[in-house]
């Protein structure tokens, strides 16, 4: 598929002309923010993330990394290209890995409200246990952007791991849903990312009051939100792959992929 039923493009190799896109965006002085959480043992992934991002992520554009960590002094030194910047923000390390992951919505929301609305035009929120392998450029820019989860792009929606308990605010009925989107990447205009994080944070709080945690924490809430707020651009699994899977023939290129990790070693309380 190269277009969604609501006519948003699905970005694959061969569906865009990089030269044309760069000609449009390079002249408009864009600032793109990238949020990355590296809390607890996940700090070990930050060096590879940043080093490969400097080779492949929005090359030639002004990118500002916002690194959220409980250990600011352990943030590695990585040489940044001209026009690129990095800010470290100290955050609390929660005891459960699920809590660390889902709290990102709340922290990103506050950070946007406090300063990012003034600092960047676009904001992309990415997982840290990932490496860039290939061009991940301005073709990803859009009003509201999500990526199809690499594990679920070929299966029927009835098997998507949406939250299926109707008592959760992340509930998606069995006969609904367009794609299963990955929690490891969402982005778009900073004001749209603010709306998304506000809605997901409010939903997470309601679930907490009702003593329920959605099946895949903030990823479940993201999927519920995107069911009713359709992305204007969808990234194919080229843009978010998983190293535990072999490269299938339909994937001409892998641009950004999770590193294989030992969950028991890096996650809190795993
Ligand atoms: C899936 C999703 C992830 C998130 C999670 C929710 C994909 C490919 N991955 O990944 O986005 O929705 O499920 O449960 O869609 N983190 C820390 N320290 C920790 C734990 C997490 O910094 O101790 C941060 C870090 O940026 C990490 C992210 O949270 O990349 C997600 O955690 P994960 O990678 O362990 O979650 P995972 O791989 O199950």
């Amino acid at each position: 598929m190269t277009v969604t039923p609501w006519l948003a493009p699905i970005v694959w190799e061969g569906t865009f002309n990089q030269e044309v896109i760069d000609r449009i965006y390079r002249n408009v002085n864009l600032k793109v923010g990238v949020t990355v959480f590296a809390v607890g043992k996940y700090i070990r992934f930050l060096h590879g993330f940043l080093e490969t991002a400097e080779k492949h992520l929005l090359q030639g554009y002004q990118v500002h990394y916002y690194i959220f960590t409980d250990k600011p002094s352990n943030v590695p030194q990585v040489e940044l290209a001209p026009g690129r910047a990095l800010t470290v923000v100290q955050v609390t390390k929660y005891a459960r890995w699920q809590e660390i992951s889902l709290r990102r919505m709340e922290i990103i929301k506050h950070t946007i409200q406090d300063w990012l609305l003034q600092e960047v035009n676009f904001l992309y929120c990415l997982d840290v246990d990932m490496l860039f392998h290939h061009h991940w450029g301005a073709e990803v820019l859009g009003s509201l952007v999500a990526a199809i989860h690499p594990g679920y792009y070929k299966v029927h929606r009835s098997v998507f791991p949406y939250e299926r308990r109707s008592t959760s605010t992340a509930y998606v009925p069995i006969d609904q849903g367009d794609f299963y989107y990955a929690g490891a990447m969402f982005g778009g205009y900073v004001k749209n990312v603010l709306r998304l994080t506000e809605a997901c944070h409010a939903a997470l709080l309601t679930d907490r009051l009702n003593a329920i945690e959605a099946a895949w924490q903030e990823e479940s809430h993201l999927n519920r939100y995107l069911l009713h707020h359709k992305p204007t651009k969808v990234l194919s699994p080229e843009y978010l792959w998983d190293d535990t899977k072999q490269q299938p023939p339909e994937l001409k290129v892998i641009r950004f992929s999770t590193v294989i990790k030992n969950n028991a070693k890096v996650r809190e309380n795993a």
Side-chain angles (χ1 to χ4, degrees):
M1 278 174 88
T2 54
V3 67
T4 68
W6 60 95
L7 304 182
I10 306 178
V11 188
W12 299 85
E13 178 73 5
T15 62
F16 62 91
N17 183 324
Q18 195 189 326
E19 261 179 50
V20 172
I21 291 175
D22 283 340
R23 226 177 289 141
I24 297 166
Y25 284 119
R26 281 243 165 93
N27 296 324
V28 290
N29 192 29
L30 281 182
K31 294 196 174 67
V32 185
V34 173
T35 67
V36 193
F37 284 71
V39 179
K41 295 179 190 145
Y42 278 60
I43 193 92
R44 69 183 63 180
F45 298 115
L46 193 52
H47 189 263
F49 177 97
L50 288 171
E51 211 170 55
T52 58
E54 279 304 286
K55 290 197 184 111
H56 302 293
L57 171 70
L58 290 158
Q59 277 222 304
Y61 289 87
Q62 296 179 63
V63 170
H64 196 139
Y65 300 99
Y66 298 91
I67 310 293
F68 298 85
T69 181
D70 56 321
K71 297 190 193 86
S73 55
N74 290 4
V75 170
Q77 295 285 329
V78 171
E79 202 181 320
L80 302 179
R84 297 167 76 106
L86 186 150
T87 299
V88 179
V89 185
Q90 180 145 21
V91 292
T92 305
K93 180 171 84 131
Y94 292 97
R96 297 167 57 244
W97 70 266
Q98 296 92 334
E99 185 77 13
I100 294 172
S101 189
L102 68 83
R103 285 277 181 164
R104 291 183 292 173
M105 288 291 181
E106 176 185 5
I107 297 169
I108 295 169
K109 173 188 117 168
H110 288 308
T111 311
I112 297 174
Q113 286 169 336
D114 292 349
W115 22 293
L116 297 193
L117 274 176
Q118 275 75 48
E119 285 197 5
V120 297
N121 307 102
F122 291 93
L123 187 67
Y124 285 75
C125 307
L126 307 178
D127 270 13
V128 74
D129 53 328
M130 315 274 308
L131 293 175
F132 289 88
H133 301 289
H134 213 275
H135 171 87
W136 212 92
E139 71 280 1
V140 307
L141 300 177
S143 172
L144 182 61
V145 185
I148 301 174
H149 194 294
Y152 299 95
Y153 72 104
K154 285 205 267 202
V155 298
H156 189 260
R157 68 178 173 191
S158 59
V159 297
F160 290 170
Y162 292 141
E163 173 53 59
R164 300 298 190 184
R165 291 166 296 178
S166 59
T167 41
S168 167
T169 54
Y171 171 60
V172 177
I174 202 82
D175 59 347
Q176 289 185 34
D178 307 301
F179 298 99
Y180 188 75
Y181 302 105
M185 190 319 284
F186 53 88
Y189 288 148
V190 65
K191 68 171 184 345
N192 288 342
V193 180
L194 175 59
R195 288 192 190 117
L196 182 158
T197 52
E198 278 172 343
C200 290
H201 177 225
L204 281 156
L205 284 181
T206 306
D207 274 13
R208 174 153 303 176
L209 285 175
N210 294 323
I212 187 162
E213 186 172 277
W216 286 101
Q217 296 83 37
E218 83 298 337
E219 183 174 87
S220 304
H221 290 276
L222 174 75
N223 272 279
R224 166 66 192 239
Y225 181 84
L226 294 172
L227 178 61
H228 300 290
H229 304 81
K230 306 287 190 211
T232 61
K233 188 174 270 185
V234 173
L235 305 184
S236 72
E238 290 171 12
Y239 287 83
L240 185 61
W241 190 246
D242 175 352
D243 271 359
T244 60
K245 299 181 196 312
Q246 286 231 315
Q247 181 169 356
E250 65 273 16
L251 232 68
K252 294 196 188 112
V253 52
I254 292 174
R255 302 171 189 279
F256 184 46
S257 186
T258 56
V259 297
I260 297 173
K261 65 181 191 288
N262 179 343
N263 286 338
K265 281 209 169 136
V266 296
R267 281 179 169 167
E268 308 300 318
N269 75 282

